[in-house]
Amino acid sequence: MSTPVVSDLSSPGPPVAPRDVAEGADPVLEIRGLCVEYGFGDDAVHAVSDCDLSLGRGRVLGLAGESGSGKSTLAMAAIRLLRSPGVITAGEVLFHSRSAADGEPAPTLDLLAAGEEELRAVRWSEIAIVLQSALNALNPVSTIGAQFDELLATHRPGLGRASRRDRAGDLLELVGMTADRLRSYPHEMSGGMRQRAMIAMALALDPQVMILDEPTTALDVVTQREILEELMGLRDRLGFAALFITHDLSLLVEFADDIAVMYAGRLMERAPAASLFRAPRLPYTYGLLHCFPPMHGERYRMEGIPGSPPDMRDLPPGCAFHPRCQWAMPRCRQDVPKLEPLAESRREVACWLHRDDATAPAELTLPDPAVAQPRTAPVIDASAGRAV
Amino acid sequence: MTINTTILSEQSPAAAAVVSTSRALRLPRSPKVIAGLVILAVFAVIAIIGAWIAPYSPNLTNESWVQHVLVAGTGPGTHIKADYYPLPLPPSGAHWLGTTVLAQDVWSQLLVSTQATVAVGLLAAAISTVLSIIVGVTAGYLGGGADEGLSLLGNVFLAIPGLPLLIVLADYVPAAGTSIFLVSLIIAITAWAYSSRVLRAQTLSLRNRDFVEAARVSGEGRFRIIVVEVLPNLIPIVAASFLFTTLYAIGAYVAISFLGLAGSPTSSPPGLWNWGEMLRETFANDAVRGGWWWWWAPPGLCIALLGTGLALLNFGIDEFINPRLRVAGLSRKAARTLGISRRPKLGLTPVVRRKVVSPTVTSPGSSTS
Amino acid sequence: MTTLAVAPNAGTETPVLEGRGLTKSFWVKRNSGLLARRSRLHAVDDVSVQLDAGAVTAVVGESGSGKTTVARLLARIVKPDTGEVLLDGHPVAAARSRKFAAQVQMVFQDPFASLNPVHRVRHHLTRPLQIHHTADGDVDEAVLQLLHRVALDPPAKFADKFPHELSGGQRQRVAIARALAVRPRVLLADEPVSMLDVSIRLGVLNLLADLRDRERLAILYVTHDIASARYLADTIVVMYAGQLVEAAPSVTLTDSPAHPYTQLLLSAAPDPERLERPVLAARGAPPSLLAPPPGCRFHPRCPHVMEICKRMAPPTVTVSPDHAAACWLHVDPADRVVDGAGVTPGTSPNPEGEAEVQRPP
Amino acid sequence: MRALARRLGVYLLAAWVAITVSFLLPRVVPGNPVAGAIARAQSSGICNSICVRAIEDQLGFNVHTSLWVQYVQYLGNLVHGNLGFSWSENAQVSSLIVSYLPWTLGLLGVATILSFIAGTLIGVVLAWRRGAFTDWLLPAATFFQSIPYFFLALVLVLIFGETGSLLKWFPSLYGYDIYGVNPGMNLPYIASIIGHAVLPALTVILASMGGFILAMRNQMVTTMDEDYVLVARAKGLRTGKVVWYAARNALLPCVSNFSVAISLVVAGQILVEIVFNYPGIGYHLYSALGALDYTLVQGIFVVITLVVLAANLIADVIYVMIDPRARQDA
């Protein structure tokens, strides 16, 4: 295994893909046809079915969904960290490493076909993860410094003890902490501090991909915003791509470049963040956007989405959302819609309302801001309900 | 004997998770649990009908049940009066487990001994469990000074080594061995502290759960909250600690009998026949050196077997309390056909492609087994 | 005594439930090596709230701000160190009585923890009916009625289920039904939707709104989500580090926040409608309640901090009718004076609301 | 420190309770324990008049002072290390115990430490390789932890012991070759001690290891479900390091439960010493019981209690040393 050089944190990172580059043009992580089951055989639960997802270099892809929708399962399975009894039953996950400076084609690794050592080489040095609770993700019996040290010692064998310590201190300062925190144990720090330390650790090896699994859900709103702003600032400087998983769609609209919405183990809609927010195409996304009361303007009654999320052990036939969908058609009860591109733009949706000769309701055909300029009125229609 | 000591105290967070998803003690149907139940059932039956089906009285001696061997240098040909020493008979159709050097039937003794052994184990466990519920749940629910005092009492009892205390107690209560109740009571006194500590910890976590608070808010009385809201949630832990204590109590009873502190069946008042007493007699008569395995092996194996049965059942309850201990998901058969381990390596999710055309079922990446 | 509770019908009607000057501290073990000792955690400091019939009052704050303790103080699960709880204007006896329980009920945050896993839904609803004799004879019928009221239809199907057979939203409805069983006049809801999936939160909030409108319940809605407070509540009070910092009708508070902390909260809350990323109004974390900073507890983070903020707790100022904030910024600069005994009370911009001045402890 | 001081307080209280129990028991038990004891003793034919006197002395029956005065005297004697006089051994109990204690502590210490280390390591392996063929060890461990120590001792004597009938590899009686070597700092004596300790130690190790295996395995399985172990994998750390992550954390509850384990091991060792005529404190407890030497029985009981309490305290100290959270709270 070669020993990559340690990146200099003070110098600008590799060139960041311009924000308007078409998504998928230069993917760093591609998930194709991924299927994940819990257990195996007849009583297996299909937690993730046939998911395609592509994470562009340097971009932030938000993955939204309610609890049990399979969003975390998808991400953890993609990097083979899903626990038993999770089994991957189909698909491939291609990691395209940074192309070399002399223009050679980027080496590609299928994570699902990789052996233990191949995975170990890629893990953390190329793909790092940040989980919801840093308290659980940090080893409670060693200091932050010791955890940095073993990480650097494993992946950067050339580095001496002193330089490892210096680098760990630099990393902590990068996320707004002081180097003397290296002597602290996880339980001696606040939740926000721990999560910062975890992010610093994730950045330690200058990875190309960060998987953020509900990184701020356990934190207060102020800390949440501070940390997310810092993360996005670091993304701009260091150029990593992020897969940002959360149940809070309103957060993704602000922080992600693109958003993919999952429901009952399937990807249902994918679009640039603004397009998804201003002009959702999927009834579920439409309903979800109407679950966040606005912070401004007139108050009016909102209805949310009727019914409950489905039981993954007993999914309804056809489109899993049809029992809660106000526009369900007979076809929705029988056939599972596939995620397919819409003609108008670079967005995809899995819904029969946008297929063939079906006519989509007006709510789902609002002009896409990515196509129609510039900012349109919010979809939320104040006349829809009575004032509370 | 050493009993698994950590299982019970670790369950608090995990138990909370299970208890909230399952309503009653439904044991996982694993081979371990079934084996444990079968073993326990067999011993339970023998304990009940043992004395009844025993071919002989355990105290009955019969001259013809030992082989009389002439002591060398005595008897005919010498001028010393013939002297004989007894040799027990190995197992035969007449004596399924042979006889003892005291000319008694081992099989009968084994059958009869089962009753007192099992009864003391269960009764001591029952007394100890009731004690531990009263002390532990009260301490945990009331908190404050009552908790401090009761916990201190428990910790003191936990720190004092059990068997030596038991020896001293049994030594000064000579009648102990003659009564199942007395001996159970003495054993229970040395056994309740551990369960009580576990129950206290669990009650403490339950007390602060919202459903208890909700019952309080709706005006429910304190006693009813403990009995109706808290106790049913403790059933799995109570069951586990009951089994644990049974195991301990049998060990303790056997130990004090082996030390001769529980009275022998021939003394007055007569002690009870139990497996420890049988072992004491074999040890006193050097049965191991004599090579009379049919005498000393059966009671020991019975203890081990009964203990294993209890421990296996405890496994099941542990897996119920702490679902992390379960081997989740893949059935043995499915795992074998797929060529992967039932419990794949941590952080290396197996890839099993079903839709591939090539004859290999597993991908190169799934070489995890 | 500072009263920082503003209700839409203030003065016209006695509040159903009122907390006056509630203060509560807990003893916690402090980790400090050899010198470990128990220290006092000032969870709630001189908080007053009023709950009116047919109105929702929201308490908003970050975790550790003491908002849950306020709900528990009002429910009398926790006894205050000082201050009192008044029901219909009459002080409530120290011990929690059944009479009080029949008037004031609570809904908890975690619907997975607030229902006893070993009992069926029926048991959860039957007990309060029996304790308070509110069933009018037919308990079974009353159970079905309750389930119907919280929109669990058909009721008969739900009555015999165990909690683990229900979804989160259904459980929370059962918890609300249990609270309603005693026919209370006050409902204290402690983060009732924060553990629920986004898509079903509104359903529960709307149920609370309907109960307020149809049955004229007085509701306390404790939350960290200021957007949902704006949606549901008539009045919002904001808590910071155990103290009330601002109170106003909900739209007024979110549209024109007066206290820097409220401004910070609003700038941090996710809001997709925003055109540009907001600039956080302040940084840092709330102070330790073991040793709260002197003066205004927000001063270490406050972007507008003045010298006086570091030394003296701010008075409660009426910013506009029904809108009060505890902040020196809203005190006339001429009055930000300290004399030996305390602060000289000055004229308030609003003649109705005499700015009451808190003496430094 | 505070937590440790608190534990120390509990142990002091426990010691006091044990001492008081051993003082009060013979004086408050209903009936006349002296008469009972003498009757028992005479029926077994080993109690002469000295014995009767000794029993009476011990139980305070011919002393015409109040219970309270006796108690103060008793405590005073204890503080001065005076545990009374053993009539059966014709020596001071304290000096007798001093001569027994090294045997017991040596055997117990070595066997328990070996058993704990081996059991813990096996537990780690079993947890890490869950579902592999090594799982058969699990029911085996269950079986072993259910066997009474003394029964296992009998089986080992049968198989390996010189007095057994099969392999005759190791001596199975006494602490050393009492006929062949002279006690002292000489090689044959030390070799003899080690040879004689093999079977008793093996018994204690085998019988106690099952419990340690199961405890560590269950702890480890639980710990492996923690996020930080998965993150250790995600960090690309080597497998050994990942196992260490889980094992280090799983060890903590095992150490904190050591107190219950040690008390069971001590109980087991008492019986093992009897089987092997091993000259430790357990064997002499047995012979003192047989000789109705109550002074000796009580002295031994008090000393065993103190030893176990000391072991508990050591476990507590170790726990505080290896758990940073406890270190801080301590």
Side-chain angles (χ1 to χ4, degrees):
Chain A
M1 199 191 341
S2 67
T3 310
V5 227
V6 176
S7 74
D8 182 2
L9 291 175
S10 53
S11 74
V16 178
R19 284 303 186 81
D20 52 14
V21 157
E23 181 249 335
D26 180 19
V28 60
L29 195 68
E30 272 185 287
I31 298 170
R32 289 187 191 156
L34 187 66
C35 292
V36 181
E37 293 178 12
Y38 282 113
F40 202 84
D42 296 336
D43 46 349
V45 174
H46 298 258
V48 171
S49 303
D50 202 16
C51 280
D52 293 299
L53 206 58
S54 161
L55 176 61
R57 202 172 290 281
R59 293 182 71 87
V60 177
L61 173 61
L63 190 54
E66 298 183 70
S67 58
S69 62
K71 53 191 193 304
S72 287
T73 305
L74 170 66
M76 295 305 264
I79 47 173
R80 302 277 298 279
L81 281 176
L82 193 68
R83 289 181 187 278
S84 180
V87 177
I88 299 165
T89 50
E92 50 188 8
V93 177
L94 302 178
F95 171 69
H96 306 285
S97 191
R98 208 176 330 228
S99 41
D102 50 14
E104 276 177 47
T108 294
L109 175 71
D110 182 0
L111 298 180
L112 301 193
E116 197 173 343
E117 274 306 306
E118 279 173 293
L119 275 176
R120 208 172 70 72
V122 174
R123 279 181 178 168
W124 218 262
S125 55
E126 300 297 357
I127 305 174
I129 60 170
V130 176
L131 300 179
Q132 174 173 348
S133 167
L135 181 62
N136 300 335
L138 293 167
N139 188 356
V141 295
S142 16
T143 59
I144 301 296
Q147 298 185 44
F148 268 107
D149 194 68
E150 69 194 359
L151 182 65
L152 291 169
T154 306
H155 289 278
R156 302 281 186 269
L159 236 49
R161 178 173 286 273
S163 21
R164 290 201 297 263
R165 196 175 50 233
D166 291 346
R167 168 125 179 117
D170 291 348
L171 285 161
L172 282 190
E173 278 159 21
L174 199 65
V175 295
M177 293 167 75
T178 49
D180 58 359
R181 276 292 174 191
L182 287 176
R183 282 195 301 272
S184 300
Y185 286 97
H187 70 272
E188 294 169 340
M189 307 194 297
S190 70
M193 284 285 193
R194 285 194 286 260
Q195 200 57 281
R196 283 204 168 88
M198 199 62 221
I199 289 168
M201 218 172 275
L203 294 172
L205 305 173
D206 201 8
Q208 300 184 52
V209 178
M210 287 262 256
I211 290 176
L212 311 169
D213 191 356
E214 306 257 11
T216 56
T217 304
L219 306 173
D220 279 318
V221 273
V222 179
T223 320
Q224 162 170 297
R225 183 162 292 273
E226 278 179 13
I227 287 186
L228 286 182
E229 280 181 358
E230 249 155 40
L231 251 176
M232 294 311 151
L234 288 167
R235 193 275 303 252
D236 292 343
R237 264 172 78 190
L238 305 174
F240 55 82
L243 180 61
F244 183 179
I245 302 161
T246 179
H247 65 275
D248 192 345
L249 190 58
S250 63
L251 212 56
L252 287 184
V253 173
E254 284 193 68
F255 285 100
D257 300 321
D258 307 288
I259 299 176
V261 176
M262 262 188 113
Y263 189 80
R266 284 177 189 276
L267 284 171
M268 301 284 276
E269 179 165 19
R270 190 158 53 109
S275 305
L276 188 109
F277 176 61
R278 297 288 154 192
R281 293 290 178 261
L282 182 75
Y284 175 61
T285 315
Y286 178 84
L288 212 51
L289 287 168
H290 282 74
C291 287
F292 296 94
M295 292 289 282
H296 306 282
E298 191 76 5
R299 291 195 299 169
Y300 53 90
R301 190 176 175 99
M302 299 162 70
E303 288 303 336
I305 305 177
S308 305
D311 180 357
M312 291 300 288
R313 283 162 298 186
D314 186 21
L315 282 181
C319 171
F321 186 63
H322 86 254
R324 303 172 76 187
C325 180
Q326 53 177 316
W327 297 292
M329 306 181 295
R331 188 179 187 184
C332 304
R333 298 186 181 90
Q334 289 152 17
D335 304 324
V336 180
K338 280 218 174 331
L339 188 69
E340 281 169 15
L342 281 181
E344 50 173 312
S345 59
R346 51 193 178 83
R347 57 190 297 170
E348 294 170 306
V349 66
C351 180
W352 292 122
L353 288 169
H354 296 282
R355 291 291 135 71
D356 306 335
D357 48 353
T359 342
E363 290 91 331
L364 302 182
T365 48
L366 293 167
D368 190 330
V371 180
Q373 285 297 319
R375 239 182 120 86
T376 50
V379 282
I380 292 162
D381 178 6
S383 63
R386 69 166 182 109
V388 184
Chain B
M1 57 210 269
T2 303
I3 296 160
N4 188 353
T5 53
T6 60
I7 14 179
L8 286 175
S9 60
E10 86 205 7
Q11 85 296 3
S12 343
V18 202
V19 169
S20 65
T21 51
S22 303
R23 60 197 144 92
L25 181 54
R26 241 186 286 127
L27 288 173
R29 226 173 282 161
S30 70
K32 278 183 228 148
V33 172
I34 292 168
L37 282 172
V38 167
I39 293 173
L40 293 189
V42 168
F43 279 109
V45 168
I46 294 176
I48 295 166
I49 63 167
W52 190 47
I53 60 166
Y56 307 101
S57 156
N59 293 322
L60 181 70
T61 48
N62 186 323
E63 278 300 296
S64 66
W65 289 355
V66 281
Q67 188 189 346
H68 296 277
V69 182
L70 188 68
V71 178
T74 67
T78 65
H79 36 264
I80 305 167
K81 186 167 163 276
D83 192 8
Y84 297 88
Y85 65 91
L87 265 189
L89 303 176
S92 65
H95 302 284
W96 290 5
L97 286 178
T99 62
T100 75
V101 77
L102 307 170
Q104 293 165 331
D105 183 50
V106 176
W107 174 233
S108 302
Q109 288 186 349
L110 195 70
L111 286 177
V112 172
S113 297
T114 309
Q115 187 170 45
T117 316
V118 172
V120 167
L122 293 179
L123 188 58
I127 298 171
S128 152
T129 305
V130 170
L131 261 177
S132 64
I133 290 176
I134 292 172
V135 175
V137 176
T138 314
Y141 189 80
L142 295 183
D147 181 23
E148 295 267 328
L150 291 174
S151 299
L152 186 62
L153 184 73
N155 282 336
V156 164
F157 265 89
L158 205 56
I160 299 175
L163 185 71
L165 179 63
L166 196 60
I167 289 172
V168 172
L169 285 173
D171 199 26
Y172 285 113
V173 188
T178 63
S179 147
I180 286 181
F181 178 74
L182 262 184
V183 79
S184 302
L185 187 67
I186 290 176
I187 291 173
I189 288 173
T190 65
W192 61 275
Y194 185 66
S195 316
S196 141
R197 185 170 81 170
V198 172
L199 284 173
R200 174 191 166 265
Q202 191 64 27
T203 309
L204 211 58
S205 83
L206 280 172
R207 182 182 67 166
N208 296 321
R209 295 277 290 285
D210 285 347
F211 67 81
V212 173
E213 203 104 287
R216 230 177 281 151
V217 171
S218 63
E220 194 79 90
R222 182 178 276 176
F223 183 72
R224 243 196 106 98
I225 290 179
I226 293 184
V227 174
V228 178
E229 307 292 335
V230 175
L231 266 185
N233 283 290
L234 293 172
I235 287 174
I237 290 139
V238 169
S241 81
F242 181 81
L243 291 183
F244 169 87
T245 316
T246 309
L247 199 59
Y248 168 83
I250 289 174
Y253 185 42
V254 166
I256 55 172
S257 302
F258 181 75
L259 291 172
L261 294 171
S264 94
T266 52
S267 67
S268 93
L272 302 159
W273 271 108
N274 67 75
W275 295 334
E277 171 62 22
M278 289 179 72
L279 283 168
R280 187 188 70 78
E281 289 189 357
T282 65
F283 183 66
N285 291 291
D286 254 342
V288 172
R289 210 185 308 180
W292 310 322
W293 56 267
W294 58 87
W295 186 12
W296 61 268
L301 286 177
C302 279
I303 297 164
L305 210 56
L306 179 54
T308 308
L310 288 164
L312 288 175
L313 201 55
N314 217 349
F315 261 125
I317 295 180
D318 279 341
E319 293 187 356
F320 175 84
I321 293 174
N322 183 354
R324 290 175 174 186
L325 296 175
R326 280 176 227 163
V327 177
L330 301 186
S331 72
R332 203 179 289 271
K333 198 176 145 203
R336 203 181 301 127
T337 41
L338 295 168
I340 59 171
S341 160
R342 280 178 77 198
R343 180 89 187 178
K345 269 189 191 166
L346 179 75
L348 208 62
T349 312
V351 180
V352 183
R353 294 184 203 280
R354 281 175 305 174
K355 293 161 193 160
V356 283
V357 194
S358 66
T360 44
V361 191
T362 52
S363 83
S366 70
S367 52
T368 53
S369 44
Chain C
M1 195 61 58
T2 314
T3 303
L4 216 170
V6 184
N9 53 358
T12 59
E13 216 177 287
T14 319
V16 184
L17 190 71
E18 185 180 355
R20 269 193 206 155
L22 296 172
T23 298
K24 178 72 190 175
S25 51
F26 298 103
W27 287 99
V28 292
K29 265 191 205 139
R30 197 169 177 184
N31 303 337
S32 53
L34 283 165
L35 299 170
R37 64 201 149 89
R38 277 144 74 92
S39 321
R40 193 182 268 268
L41 181 128
H42 303 266
V44 169
D45 189 6
D46 190 19
V47 167
S48 303
V49 276
Q50 297 179 2
L51 305 181
D52 293 293
V56 174
T57 305
V59 177
V60 176
E62 294 178 88
S63 56
S65 63
K67 55 188 193 299
T68 293
T69 309
V70 167
R72 285 172 185 241
L73 284 166
L74 288 174
R76 301 202 66 70
I77 298 172
V78 176
K79 288 194 179 63
D81 300 335
T82 60
E84 56 185 352
V85 174
L86 295 95
L87 191 62
D88 292 320
H90 303 294
V92 181
R96 212 196 131 73
S97 66
R98 283 201 174 169
K99 215 179 118 211
F100 184 76
Q103 304 279 321
V104 181
Q105 278 294 307
M106 192 155 175
V107 177
F108 295 86
Q109 174 178 11
D110 183 357
F112 293 85
S114 69
L115 300 181
N116 194 337
V118 301
H119 293 307
R120 291 174 200 274
V121 168
R122 184 183 298 281
H123 169 93
H124 289 96
L125 302 183
T126 306
R127 279 308 298 164
L129 288 170
Q130 288 171 341
I131 296 170
H132 298 279
H133 311 290
T134 40
D136 299 332
D138 191 347
V139 173
D140 283 345
E141 183 53 36
V143 167
L144 299 182
Q145 279 282 326
L146 279 170
L147 288 170
H148 178 70
R149 263 166 86 193
V150 295
L152 285 174
D153 283 309
K157 193 184 110 192
F158 286 98
D160 287 313
K161 292 210 172 200
F162 283 97
H164 68 92
E165 296 171 299
L166 304 177
S167 71
Q170 290 167 342
R171 286 173 187 226
Q172 201 58 295
R173 286 169 192 274
V174 172
I176 293 173
R178 170 178 57 190
L180 294 178
V182 308
R183 295 188 195 155
R185 291 161 59 217
V186 182
L187 205 57
L188 307 169
D190 181 10
E191 304 230 24
V193 295
S194 67
M195 307 280 278
L196 303 181
D197 271 324
V198 175
S199 72
I200 50 183
R201 284 183 187 173
L202 279 177
V204 173
L205 290 184
N206 288 343
L207 172 63
L208 292 175
D210 292 344
L211 290 169
R212 166 192 61 189
D213 297 339
R214 284 204 312 258
E215 318 196 2
R216 292 203 39 83
L217 280 179
I219 296 176
L220 180 78
Y221 174 55
V222 176
T223 184
H224 61 267
D225 176 12
I226 201 160
S228 73
R230 183 184 195 272
Y231 174 77
L232 175 66
D234 302 282
T235 308
I236 298 180
V237 296
V238 180
M239 283 189 77
Y240 181 76
Q243 295 175 326
L244 289 190
V245 294
E246 186 167 2
S250 54
V251 174
T252 314
L253 187 121
T254 48
D255 288 356
S256 46
H259 196 284
Y261 175 66
T262 315
Q263 290 162 2
L264 169 64
L265 265 189
L266 285 165
S267 71
D271 181 8
E273 296 284 328
R274 257 194 294 250
L275 293 173
E276 281 167 24
R277 276 199 195 153
V279 180
L280 268 186
R283 305 217 151 238
S288 158
L289 292 176
L290 294 170
C296 173
R297 288 188 180 174
F298 189 60
H299 88 252
R301 297 170 77 186
C302 185
H304 313 290
V305 62
M306 299 176 290
E307 203 44 47
I308 193 167
C309 307
K310 298 175 186 168
R311 287 163 46 207
M312 198 168 301
T316 298
V317 182
T318 308
V319 183
S320 67
D322 289 348
H323 189 171
C327 179
W328 283 112
L329 287 173
H330 299 280
V331 176
D332 193 310
D335 297 330
R336 294 174 193 152
V337 193
V338 192
D339 65 20
V343 179
T344 334
T347 45
S348 129
N350 186 337
E352 276 178 49
E354 270 283 310
E356 286 192 56
V357 173
Q358 229 173 6
R359 282 164 202 283
Chain D
M1 277 307 115
R2 204 186 148 84
L4 276 185
R6 212 182 154 83
R7 298 299 298 166
L8 187 65
V10 170
Y11 298 147
L12 287 177
L13 192 65
W16 174 76
V17 169
I19 289 163
T20 307
V21 162
S22 82
F23 168 81
L24 276 183
L25 209 55
R27 291 166 174 84
V28 298
V29 163
N32 185 344
V34 182
I38 292 169
R40 252 198 312 163
Q42 283 167 341
S43 77
S44 61
I46 52 165
C47 197
N48 54 23
S49 58
I50 310 170
C51 160
V52 173
R53 272 279 301 286
I55 291 172
E56 286 176 350
D57 273 355
Q58 162 65 20
L59 302 184
F61 271 80
N62 53 0
V63 185
H64 301 286
T65 49
S66 71
L67 204 61
W68 178 245
V69 173
Q70 291 178 44
Y71 183 56
V72 172
Q73 264 177 3
Y74 177 82
L75 286 184
N77 286 343
L78 266 185
V79 171
H80 293 100
N82 179 1
L83 292 169
F85 191 81
S86 158
W87 72 268
S88 67
E89 298 283 334
N90 200 15
Q92 284 292 328
V93 168
S94 48
S95 59
L96 285 172
I97 289 178
V98 166
S99 71
Y100 306 154
L101 212 48
W103 295 100
T104 295
L105 289 185
L107 185 61
L108 185 73
V110 171
T112 314
I113 289 169
L114 285 180
S115 162
F116 184 73
I117 292 172
T120 302
L121 288 177
I122 295 174
V124 168
V125 173
L126 281 188
W128 188 256
R129 313 191 31 162
R130 236 174 128 192
F133 72 97
T134 37
D135 273 3
W136 66 265
L137 261 168
L138 223 51
T142 313
F143 183 75
F144 267 94
Q145 71 158 352
S146 306
I147 298 181
Y149 280 57
F150 61 91
F151 182 70
L152 187 63
L154 293 177
V155 174
L156 291 185
V157 169
L158 175 76
I159 299 173
F160 301 108
E162 276 170 0
T163 56
S165 40
L166 295 174
L167 298 172
K168 299 181 187 295
W169 283 353
F170 298 104
S172 48
L173 282 178
Y174 314 120
Y176 63 97
D177 185 355
I178 49 174
Y179 306 110
V181 298
N182 293 318
M185 284 307 290
N186 57 66
L187 211 56
Y189 177 60
I190 294 168
S192 171
I193 287 180
I194 293 174
H196 281 73
V198 169
L199 281 187
L202 194 62
T203 311
V204 175
I205 290 173
L206 280 181
S208 60
M209 198 161 63
F212 292 129
I213 291 177
L214 292 174
M216 187 61 185
R217 182 246 177 205
N218 282 0
Q219 256 333 313
M220 179 84 180
V221 166
T222 309
T223 310
M224 276 164 58
D225 256 11
E226 298 289 345
D227 276 352
Y228 51 79
V229 182
L230 192 68
V231 170
R233 267 287 192 199
K235 281 181 186 167
L237 300 180
R238 282 174 235 290
T239 304
K241 195 88 193 175
V242 180
V243 177
W244 171 243
Y245 258 60
R248 171 86 199 276
N249 282 284
L251 196 61
L252 295 176
C254 289
V255 171
S256 78
N257 265 320
F258 194 71
S259 60
V260 181
I262 192 73
S263 146
L264 292 168
V265 177
V266 165
Q269 171 150 348
I270 290 173
L271 301 168
V272 170
E273 288 183 4
I274 296 166
V275 172
F276 289 101
N277 276 23
Y278 199 79
I281 210 159
Y283 171 72
H284 287 100
L285 176 66
Y286 178 63
S287 42
L289 282 170
L292 300 166
D293 190 341
Y294 287 103
T295 327
L296 192 50
V297 170
Q298 288 188 1
I300 288 177
F301 169 65
V302 168
V303 169
I304 291 180
T305 305
L306 294 180
V307 166
V308 168
L309 295 180
N312 280 341
L313 195 62
I314 292 170
D316 287 342
V317 170
I318 291 175
Y319 184 82
V320 167
M321 287 195 319
I322 61 176
D323 186 351
R325 287 159 294 186
R327 208 181 303 154
Q328 204 183 37
D329 294 340

